[in-house]
Amino acid sequence: DGAVARLLAAEPPGRPTGPAVAAALWEACRQDGAVLVAGSSNPVRDLDLAARPGPVSPLVVANRGLAGIDGTVATAAGAALGTGRPVRALVGDLTFLHDASSLLLGAGEREPDLQVLVLNDGGGGIFATLEHGALGEQQEYRDVVERFFGTPHEARLDALCAGYGVPHRRADSLPELAAALAGPVRGRSVLEVRVERRELRALHARIRAAVAGPAD
């Protein structure tokens, strides 16, 4: 949607947002024909908000819609091996941590052409957009909501990837992201993009308003 594209382009500079990253990844897959694996939770919602379907759109694979993070990295690897096509997967940090062992390549096994793009917001950002997010905006509940629903962590994805022998790269801006997505997908790699959770609820509301357009 053009209104959404203009809204994302007008966002203040700083860390990229999930919808802006989803839009960039969608365009990269549209350009080079890579299969797009949509992780559950925020990534699939970001794609739903920001992707712009057209005459040529990527093949999109998802495990079970909006919910369920089990086995997403394995699904993406299987999609690459099964189709013989490069795959880009958009996942959240908790989804990635839950299934990082699927990066392991057994002796004699074929290596998938797989780029895993991890939206790292340091926890479970999805709850900011649900009813828990509204509760967390109240001062008396903020800490407990963050602990039990935000589930913050300090895991180092670069070190985790190094342990599996998988190249890791960080993109801290949309131009850096565009450069990282410009090359072909060869072998396994992880691209980490840090995003914020704090303004997520308001951003999703602005995008939905842009999609709906002015009221009659």
Side-chain angles (χ1 to χ4, degrees):
D1 184 276
V4 173
R6 289 191 295 273
L7 185 151
L8 294 177
E11 285 293 305
R15 283 189 182 179
T17 63
V21 172
L25 185 64
W26 175 270
E27 182 61 20
C29 292
R30 192 183 70 80
Q31 291 288 342
D32 66 13
V35 176
L36 199 167
V37 173
S40 299
S41 196
N42 270 335
V44 70
R45 288 172 168 86
D46 288 335
L47 284 165
D48 185 54
L49 288 170
R52 303 177 66 184
V56 179
S57 294
L59 171 63
V60 179
V61 176
N63 274 354
R64 47 180 291 230
L66 298 177
I69 64 175
D70 309 54
T72 306
V73 177
T75 294
L81 294 172
T83 63
R85 295 168 58 181
V87 169
R88 289 188 172 97
L90 181 65
V91 303
D93 49 309
L94 297 184
T95 295
F96 179 73
L97 291 171
H98 191 74
D99 195 33
S101 62
S102 290
L103 292 175
L104 184 64
L105 190 66
E109 298 294 333
R110 288 188 297 141
E111 182 175 16
D113 292 324
L114 170 62
Q115 181 183 57
V116 182
L117 197 164
V118 182
L119 286 168
N120 187 356
D121 59 12
I126 181 58
F127 294 106
T129 68
L130 304 178
E131 59 271 19
H132 314 78
L135 188 64
E137 291 174 352
Q138 301 178 38
Q139 181 64 42
E140 62 268 36
Y141 298 115
R142 186 169 301 163
D143 290 343
V144 70
V145 168
E146 172 66 2
R147 178 185 176 194
F148 289 105
F149 294 101
T151 58
H153 68 85
E154 297 181 357
R156 284 187 48 197
L157 303 194
D158 57 341
L160 181 60
C161 291
Y164 287 112
V166 173
H168 169 279
R169 180 175 180 178
R170 258 186 63 177
D172 293 322
S173 67
L174 288 178
E176 289 181 9
L177 175 62
L181 294 174
V185 179
R186 295 287 185 269
R188 297 162 299 152
S189 64
V190 172
L191 175 59
E192 179 184 357
V193 182
R194 299 284 182 90
V195 293
E196 293 283 357
R197 285 190 277 131
R198 287 176 295 181
E199 300 300 324
L200 192 58
R201 187 177 183 86
L203 174 62
H204 279 216
R206 290 197 298 273
I207 293 175
R208 291 192 180 93
V211 171
D216 293 333

